[in-house]
Amino acid sequence: MTPDRMCRMPRPSLVNAAAMLILALVAAIATKAQDGPTFRIDTKLVNLWVNVTDKNGAIVGGLTKDDFKIAEDGRPQDIAIFERQSEKPLSIVLAIDTSGSTYKDRALEQDAGKRFVRAILRPQDQMSLFEFSTNVHQLVAFTNKSAQLDRGLSSLHGGEATALYDTIRLGSDELAHKPDRKVLVLVSDGGDTVKSTTYDEALEHAIRGEVLIYSIIDVPIEASAGRDLGGEHALITLAEQTGGKSFYADNGNLDKAFAQVSDDLRTQYLIAYYPHKQVPGVDFHRVSVTIPRAASGVYNIRCRAGYFANPPASPRRIPSD
């Protein structure tokens, strides 16, 4: 055998090592196959927009990540992201009730709405304008141009019935694919009279879209006899369940209510986490945010009630506490 031929032959020790490595890999693959299939779990970041007020209703700022504790279905979670005052862009649907019961306040709604647009919109924000009565109409698509929104507000049309829940469903669906903070501002005296979308369906669409509902309840200047208190209660609970808030426009004072919405959105904490140790087989995961160092009743903490883990099969009711 020539020297060149000898140089090209692998050494016996290397051949044995390679063979042993191959045998080990085959054994490992066989063992893994016997253990059954491997499932991959995708963990989605859960964003919570949190507002904190004291017992007098004053906004509480300056809290830190260490002040908060979060839990999902009663199980503690680790905070992955914390922002003390979020500057994330806002996507807002402003939806104004133009049914017959609100006709007397139409001019007030238009003027106050225009002032709200100018006060709330920053360069990074967008707003869409809806009107709802018997039907729901998107008068202005998402824009940052206040002049377009002004023209839309000047063109409000009236109707007889009130498609409140249709508005929440359609507005939430418009917002669902927007990034960052998604807000639906409803101006209404309460009450759905169209009976197309149900309360549960409207709430599910809002929660799935991660939409914060702010209800501005336009209380009649005259005696409140005849006002739909059931619808008014729905506006309040929809806001509570989604992490928003409800306000009364007493004596038609919409400017004050709009200013309160603006203040609330400017002072939100962003708290986010990756769920772990989830309860198996649960579709709706309930979320809670607390400040353990504070005594009970010192702070009022608002955020959405929870989130759905799976795509919808049919409208479902949010589990009660």
Side-chain angles (χ1 to χ4, degrees):
M1 183 176 294
T2 65
D4 290 343
R5 177 66 174 169
M6 292 177 65
C7 290
R8 289 196 294 268
M9 290 183 65
R11 292 158 61 184
S13 59
L14 294 177
V15 173
N16 293 338
M20 293 177 64
L21 178 60
I22 293 171
L23 289 173
L25 288 172
V26 171
I29 293 170
T31 301
K32 193 171 186 65
Q34 292 174 358
D35 291 340
T38 299
F39 296 98
R40 179 174 177 267
I41 299 175
D42 292 321
T43 303
K44 177 185 177 183
L45 183 70
V46 177
N47 292 312
L48 301 175
W49 305 102
V50 179
N51 287 86
V52 183
T53 54
D54 64 20
K55 58 185 178 182
N56 296 317
I59 294 168
V60 178
L63 297 174
T64 69
K65 175 181 175 180
D66 293 335
D67 288 314
F68 291 93
K69 297 295 182 185
I70 55 177
E72 179 178 299
D73 302 322
R75 300 185 178 193
Q77 304 290 320
D78 296 324
I79 296 175
I81 296 174
F82 179 84
E83 293 182 10
R84 184 174 295 176
Q85 184 171 334
S86 179
E87 296 298 328
K88 300 289 187 184
L90 289 165
S91 295
I92 304 171
V93 168
L94 174 59
I96 295 181
D97 182 350
T98 58
S99 62
S101 61
T102 65
Y103 176 76
K104 65 188 181 313
D105 293 332
R106 187 74 43 79
L108 296 174
E109 292 174 342
Q110 291 170 320
D111 292 341
K114 292 175 183 179
R115 288 188 286 272
F116 174 62
V117 168
R118 285 176 167 77
I120 192 72
L121 283 183
R122 303 165 300 172
Q124 66 267 39
D125 301 329
Q126 288 194 325
M127 182 183 289
S128 175
L129 177 65
F130 282 37
E131 67 170 7
F132 62 99
S133 53
T134 305
N135 298 300
V136 185
H137 299 105
Q138 185 181 34
L139 299 180
V140 182
F142 283 99
T143 181
N144 188 258
K145 295 180 171 56
S146 58
Q148 292 183 17
L149 294 159
D150 281 358
R151 287 193 291 272
L153 285 161
S154 296
S155 66
L156 297 178
H157 297 90
E160 294 303 319
T162 308
L164 176 64
Y165 298 149
D166 282 351
T167 302
I168 295 169
R169 176 174 57 84
L170 294 170
S172 296
D173 290 349
E174 280 289 308
L175 287 163
H177 303 294
K178 293 288 184 180
D180 301 314
R181 292 185 290 172
K182 295 168 277 193
V183 180
L184 174 57
V185 180
L186 291 165
V187 182
S188 178
D189 58 357
D192 181 281
T193 58
V194 172
K195 310 303 181 187
S196 175
T197 302
T198 67
Y199 173 93
D200 291 334
E201 290 169 335
L203 177 58
E204 179 171 342
H205 278 257
I207 287 183
R208 286 190 181 279
E210 300 182 9
V211 174
L212 298 165
I213 293 178
Y214 283 84
S215 302
I216 297 179
I217 304 168
D218 187 8
V219 178
I221 297 174
E222 303 296 332
S224 61
R227 190 168 81 246
D228 185 347
L229 297 179
E232 184 178 322
H233 176 70
L235 288 171
I236 294 170
T237 56
L238 284 162
E240 290 175 347
Q241 290 289 310
T242 58
K245 196 173 182 180
S246 58
F247 302 96
Y248 282 95
D250 295 313
N251 297 320
N253 190 355
L254 288 164
D255 282 309
K256 180 180 178 181
F258 276 130
Q260 290 172 314
V261 172
S262 182
D263 289 344
D264 210 66
L265 291 171
R266 295 284 176 251
T267 54
Q268 288 180 319
Y269 296 91
L270 169 59
I271 303 176
Y273 69 96
Y274 290 99
H276 70 278
K277 296 182 179 179
Q278 285 189 320
V279 178
V282 173
D283 182 27
F284 182 77
H285 294 284
R286 187 167 291 280
V287 174
S288 65
V289 179
T290 58
I291 302 176
R293 67 172 174 80
S296 177
V298 171
Y299 294 134
N300 176 39
I301 304 169
R302 289 186 288 107
C303 71
R304 58 180 166 136
Y307 67 95
F308 286 97
N310 301 310
S314 59
R316 280 153 291 184
R317 190 178 186 86
I318 306 303
S320 58
D321 288 323

